[in-house]
């Protein structure tokens, strides 16, 4: 028996490539934000620096979003687009209001609050995987 690798239909190959380009902007933005967490070896990145990197990466991702909007993943696209908008808004408020986070636990709260709106990207990746069909 020969196992054939499942592939996306041809009409979804371009949108999936565009989706991965968006992820290529989001992942470093998320990583920059998580680098604020101090470790036993490093003090962590200053939050204003991490917010700058986060906002820049999310902004670049927003510019690329229209390229992967197609009907089979439109529900996920809408959720992802809203997540980017919400993530940027939360980052802006945190930057402008600069609340006292009260230490490590407050920092964890702030990072989680900024990352939460990006969760729909996991659902979009799952949706793309579900659209794969057996290859020829």
């Amino acid at each position: 028996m020969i196992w054939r690798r499942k592939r996306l239909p041809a009409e979804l190959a371009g949108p999936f490539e565009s989706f991965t380009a968006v992820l290529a902007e989001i992942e470093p933005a998320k990583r920059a934000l998580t680098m604020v967490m101090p470790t036993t070896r490093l003090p962590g990145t200053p939050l204003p620096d991490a917010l700058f990197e986060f906002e820049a990466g999310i902004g670049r991702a927003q510019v690329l979003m229209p390229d992967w909007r197609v009907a089979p993943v439109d529900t996920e696209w809408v959720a992802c687009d809203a997540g980017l908008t919400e993530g940027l808004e939360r980052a802006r408020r945190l930057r402008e209001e600069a609340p006292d986070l009260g230490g490590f636990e407050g920092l964890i709260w702030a990072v989680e609050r900024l990352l939460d709106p990006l969760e729909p990207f996991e659902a979009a990746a799952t949706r793309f995987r579900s659209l794969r069909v057996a290859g020829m």
Side-chain angles (χ1 to χ4, degrees), residues 39-61:
T39 66
T40 56
R41 295 182 181 207
L42 299 171
T45 305
L47 185 56
D49 295 347
L51 281 174
F52 176 80
E53 292 296 323
F54 180 76
E55 288 177 291
I58 298 305
R60 288 189 301 271

Side-chain angles (χ1 to χ4, degrees), residues 17-40:
E17 188 175 315
S18 297
F19 173 71
T20 60
V22 170
L23 291 180
E25 297 296 342
I26 291 173
E27 291 305 319
K30 289 169 48 178
R31 194 169 29 262
L33 194 58
T34 61
M35 295 302 291
V36 302
M37 304 308 295
T39 66
T40 56

Side-chain angles (χ1 to χ4, degrees), residues 111-126:
V111 168
E112 286 179 351
R113 182 149 169 72
L114 292 170
L115 295 178
D116 282 347
L118 303 179
E119 286 296 316
F121 282 91
E122 182 61 37
T126 299

Side-chain angles (χ1 to χ4, degrees), residues 51-107:
L51 281 174
F52 176 80
E53 292 296 323
F54 180 76
E55 288 177 291
I58 298 305
R60 288 189 301 271
Q62 272 190 319
V63 170
L64 300 172
M65 283 294 290
D67 295 339
W68 69 273
R69 189 172 193 178
V70 290
V73 292
D74 193 60
T75 300
E76 292 79 11
W77 186 94
V78 169
C80 290
D81 190 55
L84 291 177
T85 300
E86 181 62 23
L88 279 175
E89 176 59 21
R90 289 180 184 189
R92 181 197 60 77
R93 280 196 313 262
L94 183 61
R95 181 177 31 80
E96 290 177 359
E97 296 170 8
D100 180 10
L101 297 175
F104 187 74
E105 289 170 4
L107 195 56

